[in-house]
């Protein structure tokens, strides 16, 4: 039985109860609360019939179909990699959502390059490299490994922008260590879907981000990712190739 039929049945039952009460002398008139319940049910039914009722959340299969994707099985290692890397990807997306007109992930300024890299490091710091002040000390080649994973415009091995006057990040002139303060944007994140675009041979990770203040309005993002294929060890298991807002 569909929703409209269920509501019709409910309304009929309310009317029958109200009529029975009045006929048996239980009350001189129908109880106002009953009348209100009937009116509310009728209004909801009418709204649904007019296409005004709030749409239900699409089922998972419908989401993949709408996006033109084939779901990645939950036992696929891609899910493990995506769930692990999610905190760093979410920080990069939050930065883009906060500065959509100035942050160009394909040709980032030095400030954007190092800030996003530092946010990724803070989200998933290398083991035993963060001190009691929550400052992460990381070798520059390892830091650039984060940049290569998160910034589509940066390829591993390319020269990095100079690290000068970047808030929260500083280089150590006596070594290749970089000191990264606790850079982050306060967001929660979740994976909406992970699927294959077989037509374009791409893997799409849809991420939802929210901040407590509600300042971020670009909440849903499709991120094209791929595993590293160079056989080397990396701090983050997936490379971000491209991303765009789908709100």
């Amino acid at each position: 039985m569909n929703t409209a039929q269920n509501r019709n049945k409910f309304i009929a039952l309310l009317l029958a109860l109200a009529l029975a009460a009045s006929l048996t002398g239980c009350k001189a008139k129908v109880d106002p609360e009953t009348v209100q319940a009937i009116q509310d049910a009728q209004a909801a039914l009418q709204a649904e019939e007019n296409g005004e009722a709030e749409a239900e959340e699409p089922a998972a299969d419908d989401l993949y179909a709408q996006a033109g994707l084939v779901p990645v099985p939950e036992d696929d290692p891609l899910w493990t990699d995506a769930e692990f890397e999610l905190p760093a990807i979410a920080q990069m997306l939050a930065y883009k959502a906060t500065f959509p007109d100035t942050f160009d992930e394909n040709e980032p300024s030095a400030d954007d390059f190092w800030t996003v890299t530092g946010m990724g490091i803070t989200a998933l710091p290398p083991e035993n490299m963060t001190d009691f002040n929550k400052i992460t000390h990381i070798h520059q080649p390892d830091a650039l490994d984060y940049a290569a994973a998160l910034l589509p415009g940066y390829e591993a091995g390319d020269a990095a922008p100079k690290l000068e006057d970047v808030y929260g990040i500083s280089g150590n002139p006596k070594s290749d260590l970089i000191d990264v303060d606790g850079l982050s944007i306060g967001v929660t994140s979740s994976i909406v879907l992970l699927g294959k675009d077989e037509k374009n041979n791409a893997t799409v990770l849809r991420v939802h981000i929210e901040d407590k203040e509600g300042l971020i309005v670009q909440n849903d993002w499709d991120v094209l990712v791929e595993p590293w294929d160079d056989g080397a060890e990396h701090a983050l298991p997936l490379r971000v190739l491209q991303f765009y807002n789908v709100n």
Side-chain angles (χ1 to χ4, degrees):
M1 184 178 291
N2 61 33
T3 304
Q5 290 174 324
N6 283 335
R7 284 179 175 161
N8 275 328
K9 186 176 180 181
F10 175 65
I11 291 169
L13 178 60
L14 285 176
L15 286 169
L17 291 173
L19 181 59
S22 62
L23 289 177
T24 56
C26 293
K27 290 187 179 179
K29 58 181 180 180
V30 179
D31 186 85
E33 293 183 0
T34 302
V35 173
Q36 186 62 51
I38 294 170
Q39 291 173 343
D40 290 346
Q42 287 174 324
L45 177 60
Q46 188 62 50
E48 182 176 286
E49 291 174 349
N50 293 339
E52 298 170 357
E54 183 177 351
E56 294 182 359
E57 288 293 325
D61 290 345
D62 293 337
L63 277 177
Y64 283 96
Q66 290 170 10
L69 302 173
V70 176
V72 172
E74 291 189 4
D75 59 354
D76 191 299
L78 272 172
W79 268 102
T80 301
D81 291 343
E83 288 170 343
F84 173 80
E85 193 165 329
L86 177 62
I89 290 176
Q91 287 296 305
M92 180 265 298
L93 296 176
Y95 190 81
K96 179 70 173 183
T98 304
F99 305 104
D101 299 323
T102 58
F103 170 39
D104 181 352
E105 65 276 9
N106 296 303
E107 295 182 5
S109 66
D111 186 67
D112 289 340
F113 179 97
W114 285 109
T115 300
V116 170
T117 299
M119 291 169 68
I121 292 169
T122 298
L124 293 169
E127 192 173 357
N128 300 322
M129 297 296 284
T130 302
D131 65 22
F132 64 93
N133 289 318
K134 296 184 178 179
I135 296 175
T136 300
H137 309 280
I138 183 171
H139 295 282
Q140 180 164 319
D142 296 332
L144 294 180
D145 190 43
Y146 283 81
L150 295 173
L151 293 166
Y154 178 73
E155 293 289 336
D158 287 352
K162 289 184 179 180
L163 180 55
E164 295 178 353
D165 301 323
V166 178
Y167 176 79
I169 306 177
S170 59
N172 189 329
K174 296 181 180 179
S175 70
D176 70 346
L177 280 176
I178 293 174
D179 300 331
V180 181
D181 208 340
L183 297 173
S184 66
I185 296 176
V187 294
T188 59
S189 60
S190 60
I191 295 176
V192 179
L193 57 80
L194 180 62
K196 292 282 189 179
D197 179 353
E198 295 185 333
K199 182 178 179 181
N200 297 303
N201 191 29
T203 301
V204 180
L205 171 67
R206 181 168 294 178
V207 176
H208 180 80
I209 59 173
E210 287 186 11
D211 64 314
K212 291 181 179 179
E213 293 77 18
L215 299 177
I216 293 177
V217 295
Q218 295 181 328
N219 302 112
D220 294 296
W221 299 80
D222 275 357
V223 185
L224 274 62
V225 297
E226 70 175 10
W228 293 93
D229 60 0
D230 56 4
E233 291 188 9
H234 295 275
L236 303 177
L238 302 174
R239 294 180 60 225
V240 173
L241 305 179
Q242 183 183 358
F243 57 89
Y244 49 90
N245 179 246
V246 293
N247 274 38

